[in-house]
């Protein structure tokens, strides 16, 4: 059995996400997978010195982690795991590799529950933006997505929810904490300022 075809599966899944994801997914879009979480997991893996097959599994899990949104919004992770199990054999992945990838996808379900270090890296990459300086943009994208799906909340309600989430969130891996904790604290302060301005 040869090496899994990473480039082939990447092209296949990204084309599929671009074609099939609903346009009202302002946050869980192809950009979230391609431009946010995939680079994040590659960055964290490099810091953790994860290479070879483990890196391949990480990248593949991230590629598939939001494919379930094509079929359903709530509880989409089991759908994404099933899609990975159905399609990855065509790209030369072994049954053991596919099982590990499926578990990584399932671990990203909120609240996140990683069972090992690779699953923890995927979970941390999925929430990498909490500690970045583009956090407010991604937060507003998620707010717009929830509004498009019928959520009734004011911007003040949203900022309060986000403040509670960021204040209670802890990255699972040391590499993510070292990279993003300081930025996350900056974003906590930013949310407090925004709330104070709305209450003024």
């Amino acid at each position: 059995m040869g090496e899994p075809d990473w480039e082939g599966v990447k092209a296949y899944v990204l084309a599929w996400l671009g074609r099939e994801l609903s346009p009202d997914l302002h946050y869980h879009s192809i950009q979230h997978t391609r431009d946010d979480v995939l680079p994040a997991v590659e960055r964290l893996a490099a810091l953790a010195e994860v290479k070879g097959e483990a890196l391949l599994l990480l990248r593949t899990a991230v590629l598939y982690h939001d494919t379930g949104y094509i079929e359903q919004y709530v509880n989409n992770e089991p759908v994404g795991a099933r899609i990975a199990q159905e399609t990855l054999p065509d790209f030369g992945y072994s049954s053991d590799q596919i099982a590990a990838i499926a578990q990584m996808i399932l671990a990203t379900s909120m609240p996140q529950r990683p069972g090992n270090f690779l699953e923890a890296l995927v979970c941390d990459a999925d929430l990498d933006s909490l500690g970045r300086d583009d956090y407010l943009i991604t937060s507003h994208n998620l707010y717009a997505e929830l509004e498009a799906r019928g959520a009734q909340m004011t911007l003040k309600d949203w900022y309060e929810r986000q403040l509670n989430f960021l204040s209670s969130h802890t990255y699972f891996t040391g590499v993510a904490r070292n990279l993003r904790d300081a930025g996350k604290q900056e974003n906590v302060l930013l949310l407090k300022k925004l709330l104070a301005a709305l209450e003024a």
Side-chain angles (χ1 to χ4, degrees):
M1 189 172 174
E3 287 289 302
D5 180 8
W6 158 250
E7 291 300 335
V9 76
K10 181 181 175 186
Y12 167 77
V13 175
L14 290 178
W16 192 45
L17 289 172
R19 194 170 58 243
E20 298 294 334
L21 281 176
S22 169
D24 69 5
L25 293 174
H26 303 285
Y27 177 82
H28 293 102
S29 60
I30 184 174
Q31 288 83 5
H32 171 69
T33 294
R34 183 189 64 208
D35 305 333
D36 182 350
V37 188
L38 186 55
V41 88
E42 289 172 341
R43 197 162 44 237
L44 292 174
L47 291 168
E49 298 183 354
V50 174
K51 298 170 183 152
E53 183 188 38
L55 177 59
L56 172 74
L57 299 182
L58 282 175
R59 295 167 92 194
T60 308
V62 163
L63 199 59
Y64 277 90
H65 86 286
D66 280 347
T67 53
Y69 281 100
I70 290 170
E71 292 186 21
Q72 66 191 46
Y73 195 79
V74 177
N75 200 30
N76 63 85
E77 293 83 7
V79 179
R82 189 203 80 224
I83 291 168
Q85 289 163 333
E86 288 171 354
T87 57
L88 283 172
D90 294 339
F91 296 94
Y93 286 73
S94 71
S95 57
D96 286 349
Q97 289 170 330
I98 294 167
I101 288 163
Q103 284 305 122
M104 289 183 218
I105 296 166
L106 293 172
T108 65
S109 178
M110 300 297 288
Q112 296 172 325
R113 293 187 194 89
N116 59 42
F117 185 66
L118 293 184
E119 290 171 20
L121 283 174
V122 171
C123 288
D124 285 349
D126 198 19
L127 295 179
D128 186 64
S129 66
L130 299 184
R132 294 199 314 252
D133 57 11
D134 64 342
Y135 159 73
L136 202 59
I137 296 168
T138 61
S139 174
H140 282 153
N141 286 344
L142 184 54
Y143 177 61
E145 176 175 305
L146 293 171
E147 275 201 318
R149 305 196 71 78
Q152 303 275 320
M153 68 183 120
T154 65
L155 197 55
K156 180 173 176 284
D157 293 336
W158 176 245
Y159 287 155
E160 286 172 346
R161 279 177 57 172
Q162 288 288 283
L163 180 59
N164 288 337
F165 184 70
L166 263 69
S167 299
S168 62
H169 172 266
T170 304
Y171 285 113
F172 294 102
T173 63
V175 285
R177 289 193 294 273
N178 290 340
L179 186 65
R180 296 298 182 210
D181 270 0
K184 192 169 62 166
Q185 289 312 306
E186 290 290 320
N187 290 328
V188 165
L189 294 174
L190 173 63
L191 286 167
K192 288 178 177 176
K193 285 178 191 168
L194 290 166
L195 279 166
L198 287 173
E199 289 163 359

